[in-house]
Every structure is written in structure tokens, then in C-alpha cells.
Amino acid sequence: NNRIQKLSPDGQFLLQWGALGTAPGQFNDPWGIAVDEKGNVYVADTWNHRIQKFDSEGNFLTSWGYFVNTEGKLEQPGGFWGPRAIAIDSEGNLYVADTGNKRIQKFSPEGIFLGQWGGLGNAEGLFDEPVGIAIDPAGNIYVADTWNRRIQKFDENFQFIKEWPIYGWESRSVVNKPYLVASPDGRLFVTDPEFHRVLVFDLEGNFLFTFGRYGELNLPLGLAVDQQGNLYVADSGNCRILKFPFSSEELKEGKMK
């Protein structure tokens, strides 16, 4: 629907903004969203190839980005090809998955370019279709390196730490775009869209458990964790948001609030 909706923790509608278009405050298939400590909202306006920034009431503040195809090289910083996800570090800087250009870019809250990493490949630190990105409480960065079928972990300076495989990410379809989120208690939640489930690991990549199956979840994509540790899942094929409680046992049983 090319819009942002704001809901209470219990799912009550509060606010919406946006429509299809290229003007400030309009969107073309927005995929990623992140909120900073001041309540500012950043949107990966995917097919407008830009990041837009709003205040907590949806008022447009700024935007940056333009279309560029770097052919998987670390060139033309600040341009994008279909950015899909945003993560914000403890200093308020943004890490953006520039999916089509096979890289991660870092920006200040005002959109000033600060760095880039990756490029096309399957060696350590390279990417093929990076989508989800998450930052844990220690500042480590995790990237869903989708077409390499792995998660890569980096330190706060984006130095490679380790990787582990995700065998379920078989497809290169437009809907197989997995996302990640790190919880305060040291778990990494990972969507496996076309297997209709969420995978759960510790922060060293050890598999803990999975939950969801077709019907209960249908193409789950985006993930978020609140300050209490509750997990929210964008259950895209079922056109809804699901909220799960903090307890691991309840998550294993697929219980929802």
C-alpha cells in the first residue's frame, strides 16, 4: 500500500502516512524501517532507491540516495539499487543493506556517507543479495547474505568474525527476502520466508529452535524486538503483524499475544 502505519504495542491504529509516488513522503514498495532513540523513523524506500527520514508523527525531515548499478563493486557511495533493510547503532548511525549493489553502507542520521563494505562474491566479507541486517547490544553486526545462503557476523568496525549456513534460503524469488533481529537476551531471530518459519540462534550461530509452519506463518519477512523482549513478525502473506511473548518456551509453542 506504499505507506507507513503506526500502531500501539497492542496493535491499535495510531497514524499513517505515504502514498505511491516519488515526492517527499511518498513511497515505491518500502521494505525496511527503523526507529532511533529520538523517535525518528527511517524508511528504505526500496524502488525509489533512497532512504527517507521522518519524525515520530510522520513529518518528512530529509532523504538521500539515487539509483546506481555498481555491478557489485564498491563504487558511487550514497547511491542505491533497491535498499531493503536498515539497522541503527548505539551512536545513531545507520547501516543500510544496499541489496542490488551487494554491499552495506553506513550513514550519519543526517545521511552523510561514512563507509561501505562488501561487494559481490562468496568469500568472507563479500555478499550476494544482502537483505536483513541487525546489531546486537555489543555492537556486532549480522547480515542475511541471502544468495550465499549464510549469515555473516562482523564486529563494530565491520571486521569479519564468522559465518554460518542457512540451508532454507534456496530460492532467488522476489519474496525470499529474509530479515534478522537480535534480542536483549542474546538470541538472533531469522526469517525463513518460503519455509514459513522463524529460526532462532544464539549470537555465535548455534541453532536453538524454530517455530512456525505454513498457515501459522505465510512468507514471514520483517522482525522487531521491543524493550521487553517481545518479538514482532511481519506475517506478509497473511497480511498481519504477530506479537510473541519473551519466553522461549512460549515461542517454541508458537503462542501469541
Side-chain angles (χ1 to χ4, degrees), residues 16 143 164 189 212:
Q16 66 175 352
V143 179
W164 62 91
F189 293 90

Side-chain angles (χ1 to χ4, degrees), residues 28-31 44-50 67 81-84 174:
N28 187 356
D29 210 10
W31 276 70
D45 186 9
T46 300
W47 299 121
N48 282 326
H49 312 288
R50 64 184 179 184
F67 173 72
W81 183 6
R84 297 273 184 172
V174 70

Side-chain angles (χ1 to χ4, degrees), residues 215-237:
E216 297 173 346
L217 296 172
N218 186 357
L219 293 174
L221 296 175
L223 294 168
V225 173
D226 66 20
Q227 293 178 345
Q228 290 72 44
N230 299 305
L231 175 71
Y232 300 80
V233 180
D235 187 16
S236 71

Side-chain angles (χ1 to χ4, degrees), residues 48 54 65 76 145:
N48 282 326
F54 305 87
Q76 294 178 271
D145 187 9

